[in-house]
């Protein structure tokens, strides 16, 4: 295991590091923090990482990279041995999201992917997240501190309803991904000369909870249409009196039957009391 880095690192120093990584060594974990990586250094690192056959954990943090950077679109299999990849505090523009999607689509070893504070917008996320719908190896996905907004909710819902392997999804500090809006929308009907209220459709975090983790439209939906494997970190409150922290604790339990029973109790007592049917209990 090797973890190094400093803002004062020069291209010459990075060239030495790249040369070291390219040798036949038994290093399994490498982390480079706060060292600025220019285009030439990026090429050297990418080449050395292809040659290295022992590395399974890679972290490049705060390097000024425009991701996917080290991923060579012509040889995505070169990093197929990685089980952990952390590229936090860099940048992932939409132009790089396609290559990341290709990499994730061909990788069957990655267990942890951390893309925190990578300036990821909704359009970029919509490119690579669908690839993970059928993924069976990734356990942790960190997309915290990015620029995701309410429009990403349907993509997250599709991911959570399709993927039963992911055990932790971190969406914290995506400030445009709102907790909830108003329950009712009020409008003035000029023809009837009176105010009317209509229910507001859920958005953002509320939509993710209601459609993916805690579908209370029926008792069957709670059991069969809700994701029971992924602990979701978003912060704030769910519509109603329960909060996301409580639901995350339920999701983290090992016994799926217990999870479902707790969700049913939560639904009947707080979320949708109309589900109660004497004949079914």
């Amino acid at each position: 295991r090797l973890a190094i880095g400093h803002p004062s690192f020069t291209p010459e120093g990075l060239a030495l590091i790249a040369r070291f990584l390219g040798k036949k060594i038994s290093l399994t974990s490498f982390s480079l923090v706060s060292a600025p990586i220019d285009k030439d250094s990026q090429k050297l690192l990418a080449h050395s990482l292809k040659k290295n056959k022992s590395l399974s954990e890679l972290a490049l943090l705060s390097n000024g990279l425009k991701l996917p950077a080290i991923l060579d679109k012509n040889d995505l299999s070169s990093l197929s041995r990685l089980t952990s990849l952390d590229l936090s505090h860099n940048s992932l523009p939409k132009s790089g999201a396609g290559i990341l999607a290709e990499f994730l689509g061909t990788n069957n070893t990655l267990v942890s992917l951390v893309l925190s504070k990578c300036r990821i917008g909704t359009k970029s996320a919509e490119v690579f997240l669908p690839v993970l719908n059928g993924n069976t190896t990734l356990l942790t996905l960190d997309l915290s501190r990015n620029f995701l907004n309410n429009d990403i909710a349907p993509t997250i819902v599709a991911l959570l309803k399709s993927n039963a392997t992911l055990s932790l999804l971190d969406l914290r500090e995506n400030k445009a991904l709102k907790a909830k809006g108003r329950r009712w929308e009020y409008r003035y009907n000029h023809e009837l000369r009176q105010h009317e209220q209509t229910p507001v459709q859920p958005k953002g975090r509320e939509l993710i909870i209601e459609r993916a983790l805690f579908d209370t439209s029926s008792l069957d939906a709670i059991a069969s249409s809700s994701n029971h494997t992924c602990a979701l970190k978003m912060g704030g409150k769910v519509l109603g009196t329960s909060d996301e922290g409580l639901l995350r604790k339920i999701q983290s339990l090992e016994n799926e039957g217990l999870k479902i029973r707790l969700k049913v109790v939560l639904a009947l007592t707080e979320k949708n009391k109309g589900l109660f049917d004497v004949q079914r209990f």
Side-chain angles (χ1 to χ4, degrees), residues 8 10 12 17 33 41 80 90 102 113 124 127 143 153-154 172 180 185 203 205 208 216 239 256-257 261 266:
S8 64
T10 63
E12 291 76 19
I17 293 171
V33 183
S41 299
S80 61
N90 287 295
E102 290 184 46
L113 176 62
S124 295
V127 172
L143 298 176
R172 290 175 296 178
K180 64 177 181 179
E185 185 175 52
K203 298 179 180 179
R205 285 153 52 180
I208 294 171
T216 61
L239 182 62
E256 183 167 316
R261 290 194 295 273
L266 192 60

Side-chain angles (χ1 to χ4, degrees), residues 61-65 87-91 115-118 145:
L61 315 176
S62 301
N63 309 118
L65 290 172
L87 299 172
S88 298
H89 293 250
N90 287 295
S91 174
L115 298 171
S116 178
K117 204 174 182 181
C118 283
R145 306 174 71 185

Side-chain angles (χ1 to χ4, degrees), residues 124-133 141 143 148 152 155-156 159:
S124 295
E126 287 174 337
V127 172
F128 68 86
L129 282 179
V131 178
L132 298 175
N133 288 0
L141 177 59
L143 298 176
L148 303 179
I152 196 61
T155 303
I156 298 294
L159 170 63

Side-chain angles (χ1 to χ4, degrees), residues 14-167:
L14 290 175
L16 292 174
I17 293 171
R19 195 174 306 135
F20 170 75
L21 289 175
K23 293 182 179 180
K24 293 182 179 180
I25 54 176
S26 57
L27 188 70
T28 59
S29 177
F30 176 68
S31 177
L32 182 62
V33 183
S34 299
I37 301 176
D38 59 20
K39 289 185 177 182
D40 290 336
S41 299
Q42 180 177 308
K43 291 178 181 179
L44 289 174
L45 281 173
H47 179 69
S48 64
L49 289 171
K50 287 181 185 180
K51 295 174 63 177
N52 185 296
K53 303 301 181 184
S54 62
L55 205 63
S56 61
E57 299 178 0
L58 176 63
L60 298 176
L61 315 176
S62 301
N63 309 118
L65 290 172
K66 281 192 175 182
L67 306 176
I70 57 167
L71 298 177
D72 184 351
K73 62 181 180 180
N74 297 316
D75 189 12
L76 293 173
S77 62
S78 61
L79 294 179
S80 61
R81 65 192 176 282
L82 291 181
T83 60
S84 176
L85 180 61
D86 187 345
L87 299 172
S88 298
H89 293 250
N90 287 295
S91 174
L92 177 62
K94 186 179 179 182
S95 57
I99 300 176
L100 177 61
E102 290 184 46
F103 169 71
L104 294 174
T106 58
N107 181 280
N108 58 6
T109 59
L110 205 61
V111 174
S112 175
L113 176 62
V114 182
L115 298 171
S116 178
K117 204 174 182 181
C118 283
R119 302 179 183 178
I120 300 175
T122 293
K123 295 297 183 184
S124 295
E126 287 174 337
V127 172
F128 68 86
L129 282 179
V131 178
L132 298 175
N133 288 0
N135 184 281
T136 58
T137 56
L138 193 68
L139 298 177
T140 299
L141 177 59
D142 187 345
L143 298 176
S144 62
R145 306 174 71 185
N146 282 296
F147 299 147
L148 303 179
N149 59 30
N150 286 343
D151 292 338
I152 196 61
T155 303
I156 298 294
V157 169
L159 170 63
L160 294 176
K161 291 182 79 69
S162 303
N163 187 311
T165 304
L166 195 66
S167 61

